[in-house]
């Protein structure tokens, strides 16, 4: 599920209007609408505000946003897949170092 659809689902589950979310997060209603429709990706600051408002895991929203950026910029292809695997290998080494601490 895209980050926009996920954010819309959170809003609907919480029975909030775009206007209500806008007021509580200080994010413009038309911008929230564009994020939900997948026309814009939220900034890091907006992700923080949305994760706090909905009480959801900020790293999950950040991960969804990064994944969507990769797909929007590079498309779903074998080359993109290979690049993501390369990144995964580097990050795996990083995560192993972090768990050794």
């Amino acid at each position: 599920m895209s980050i926009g659809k996920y954010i819309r689902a959170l809003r609907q589950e919480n029975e909030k209007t775009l206007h209500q979310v806008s007021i509580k997060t200080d994010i413009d209603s038309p911008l929230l609408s564009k994020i939900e429709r997948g026309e814009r990706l939220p900034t890091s600051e907006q992700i923080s505000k949305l994760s706090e408002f909905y009480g959801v895991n900020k790293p999950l929203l950040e991960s969804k946003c990064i994944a969507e950026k990769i797909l929007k910029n590079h498309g779903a292809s074998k080359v993109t897949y290979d690049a993501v695997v390369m990144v995964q290998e580097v990050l795996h080494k990083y995560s192993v170092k972090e768990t050794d601490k």
Side-chain angles (χ1 to χ4, degrees), residues 21-59:
V21 177
S22 174
I23 290 170
K24 295 291 185 178
T25 61
D26 196 31
I27 301 172
D28 189 56
S29 290
L31 178 57
L32 279 172
S33 180
K34 287 180 180 182
I35 290 169
E36 287 187 0
R37 291 192 316 264
E39 295 174 9
R40 294 278 305 266
L41 290 172
T43 64
S44 190
E45 181 181 340
Q46 292 162 344
I47 287 172
S48 293
K49 290 176 179 182
L50 291 166
S51 68
E52 185 176 325
F53 177 76
Y54 289 118
V56 296
N57 186 307
K58 181 181 173 186

